[in-house]
Each structure stands twice: as structure tokens, then as C-alpha cells.
Amino acid sequence: KPGGEGKKKKEDADPDGELLAKTEDPMGDATKFVNLLAEHAGGLLQTQTLSMDVFMRKGRLLKALAALKRAAKIAPSDPLLHRSVVRFLLKVADSRAAAPAPVVQVLDSELAASAEWGLPGLSGPPADYNKKWIAQHASGSVKHAAAAAEALSLLSGGKDADAAVDLILKESVAGPKLIELTAIYHWVKASGCSAAKLAVFVEKARAHWPLATAFQ
């Protein structure tokens, strides 16, 4: 307004998120958050994979499946989705005995028809799906190789850490942004792989990003 001070910026009552972190119903609040994201940013892959994670944690497998089908339409070969797919398949396998029969029937029917919605092969063992995904996508991209490695480690209960990291070491580190490569480094470091494997990764990362301090 002419001569006025204009509209004052509203102060954030919780700038550090401390009140949000103290929620008594984290899954309830997370559900509200992903529902809001789905309403306003449903076309983002991250929205759908986050929805999958929340609904899997809540045991809402059909809701997670719906998010998976939406994600498959957005980016079926994206490494972010592959991680979520393998976690979902393992969750279904672990929950099958306790899940209501109608839920199991829907899951089996939808997974058997997964090729129709962009992700063929979901009705078989998760390990077989990961092997096929590695053959199709892991070569030539360290981000895809990292997703395959994480899935392999998850499927083996962490027993195949060196073999998983080998998938990453085969690829060039030239593709990802620094923040992406740093995330891969942190996973390799926490994977339980041998010190020699970690040293090889660090050497490659430092050679490509000589001024970065992330790779210690």
C-alpha cells in the first residue's frame, strides 16, 4: 500500500523443526505429509517413493502398491525407484503370512500383471528381479550400480557387501553430481565392505573431485 510498510513476513514459530520432531504420532503426521505431497506434487517420483516408504511402514501394502504403480509411470528405470521396488517385494514376502487373504490376492494379481504397468518380473523372487535389473541398467551408470548394490546387500542381509560394492567400482564416478556421489560414498562406507574396497572408491572419487573434502 502507498505509504505503508507493506505486508510483514510471518515468523516461523518452529524454525529448527524441534516441535515437528516431537510429534506423538510420527506415522500419522507422515501420512498427512505424503497425502499433501500427492495432491500438489504427485508427478514427482520422490513423492511416490516416499509414499511407498510411509505406507510400507504402516503395513498398508495396497496403498504402497498404488504408489508403486504411479511411480512406474513416471520413471520405471530410475535407481531411486529400484530401491523402493526391492524393499516393497521384501515387505510383501515378509507380510504374506499375516496379511488378510483378499490383500494377498490383490497383491499377487497386480504383481503378476506388473509388465502391463511398466515393471515386468515382479511376481518372481526379489533376487531374480534384481539380477535382471542389474543386467539391464547397472552398467554404464554409477547411480544405477549403487541402487543395484544396495538392493543386493539388502537381499543378502548385508552378507555380500564386497560383491555389492564391486558393482559400483566397475563404473566411472564422472556422471553424478558431488552430492549424489557423496551419498554413494556414505553407503559404501556403511555397507560393511572391506577397507580395500572402500579405499578404491575413495581414490576414484578424490581423483574426480580433488577439491572435495567429503571423501575421508
Side-chain angles (χ1 to χ4, degrees):
K1 296 179 181 179
E5 296 181 359
K7 200 171 185 179
K8 291 185 178 180
K9 185 178 179 181
K10 186 177 180 180
E11 291 187 10
D12 188 346
D14 186 28
D16 298 321
E18 293 181 1
L19 296 177
L20 183 62
K22 292 179 181 178
T23 175
E24 296 180 359
D25 182 17
M27 282 293 97
D29 288 345
T31 302
K32 293 177 185 177
F33 179 65
V34 297
N35 286 340
L36 188 64
L37 279 176
E39 181 180 351
H40 296 285
L44 295 178
L45 179 63
Q46 292 88 337
T47 295
Q48 303 306 333
T49 54
L50 183 60
S51 296
M52 287 179 66
D53 186 52
V54 170
F55 290 125
M56 281 191 286
R57 288 171 183 265
K58 295 183 70 174
R60 303 289 298 276
L61 296 181
L62 295 185
K63 288 275 192 179
L65 174 65
L68 169 58
K69 293 177 70 173
R70 290 191 293 269
K73 293 180 180 179
I74 299 170
S77 62
D78 192 282
L80 177 62
L81 178 57
H82 182 62
R83 294 177 175 91
S84 295
V85 168
V86 172
R87 286 196 294 267
F88 176 73
L89 294 177
L90 289 174
K91 181 69 174 180
V92 170
D94 290 342
S95 306
R96 183 175 293 276
V103 171
V104 174
Q105 290 174 0
V106 172
L107 288 169
D108 287 345
S109 176
E110 289 289 346
L111 293 178
S114 64
E116 298 176 8
W117 39 271
L119 291 174
L122 297 191
S123 60
D128 288 351
Y129 177 76
N130 191 48
K131 288 179 182 177
K132 292 177 182 177
W133 197 88
I134 290 172
Q136 293 175 354
H137 303 293
S139 179
S141 164
V142 72
K143 290 195 294 184
H144 285 74
E150 290 182 38
L152 179 60
S153 181
L154 185 63
L155 288 162
S156 69
K159 296 178 182 178
D160 290 338
D162 276 5
V165 172
D166 277 339
L167 293 172
I168 297 173
L169 297 180
K170 292 177 183 177
E171 305 302 327
S172 168
V173 298
K177 299 175 182 177
L178 176 58
I179 191 172
E180 295 171 329
L181 192 62
T182 300
I184 295 173
Y185 161 70
H186 285 303
W187 182 84
V188 171
K189 189 175 181 180
S191 69
C193 71
S194 66
K197 300 288 184 184
L198 176 60
V200 172
F201 180 87
V202 169
E203 182 180 1
K204 293 178 67 174
R206 286 178 176 172
H208 188 68
W209 295 95
L211 299 181
T213 59
F215 310 109
Q216 302 297 329

